[in-house]
Amino acid sequence: MKKEFKSEKNAYHFAATTTQEELAGRVSACGGMVCKFNDHVLVVNYCWCGFVAGVYKFIETPEETGLSECECRLALCEKSDGTFEDGGHAMAWALSRVH
């Protein structure tokens, strides 16, 4: 299994490009969430330092690739610098970043 932690302010590494399917396989079963919101995918996860959040945007579509939406590539738009006390606050932060 790949190590998910990296030396950053919140100590969590978000991949620059990924898919919904990959994100879903990496989030914590009890504290993580991957949620499609229009043309973005919002990610919340629990790590040893608290909850973190990230916002991804689709860079491929099913029409372009012939793949299902969960297999289309995403690019990281923004990630939280710090951590949150719970998953709800982390998701609220992610929702506030989507335009």
Side-chain angles (χ1 to χ4, degrees):
M1 181 183 224
K2 285 175 38 176
K3 190 174 180 181
E4 289 293 321
F5 297 97
K6 201 178 205 181
S7 179
E8 293 178 358
K9 285 184 184 179
N10 66 22
Y12 188 83
H13 172 70
F14 285 94
T17 59
T18 189
T19 66
Q20 285 185 83
E21 188 173 48
E22 289 173 353
L23 289 170
R26 292 182 180 167
V27 298
S28 167
C30 61
M33 182 185 342
V34 176
C35 181
K36 182 181 180 286
F37 185 76
N38 294 324
D39 63 344
H40 289 82
V41 174
L42 312 178
V43 181
V44 170
N45 204 8
Y46 180 75
C47 63
W48 68 273
C49 57
F51 287 84
V52 294
V55 178
Y56 285 88
K57 186 168 183 148
F58 283 96
I59 55 176
E60 292 180 334
T61 66
E63 294 78 26
E64 294 171 328
T65 63
L67 301 171
S68 71
E69 194 171 67
C70 71
E71 298 172 300
C72 290
R73 288 184 313 136
L74 305 166
L76 181 65
C77 297
E78 190 173 0
K79 61 183 178 176
S80 60
D81 284 332
T83 59
F84 301 91
E85 62 187 84
D86 56 42
H89 285 93
M91 183 55 74
W93 175 90
L95 282 167
S96 75
R97 297 308 196 259
V98 178
H99 307 283

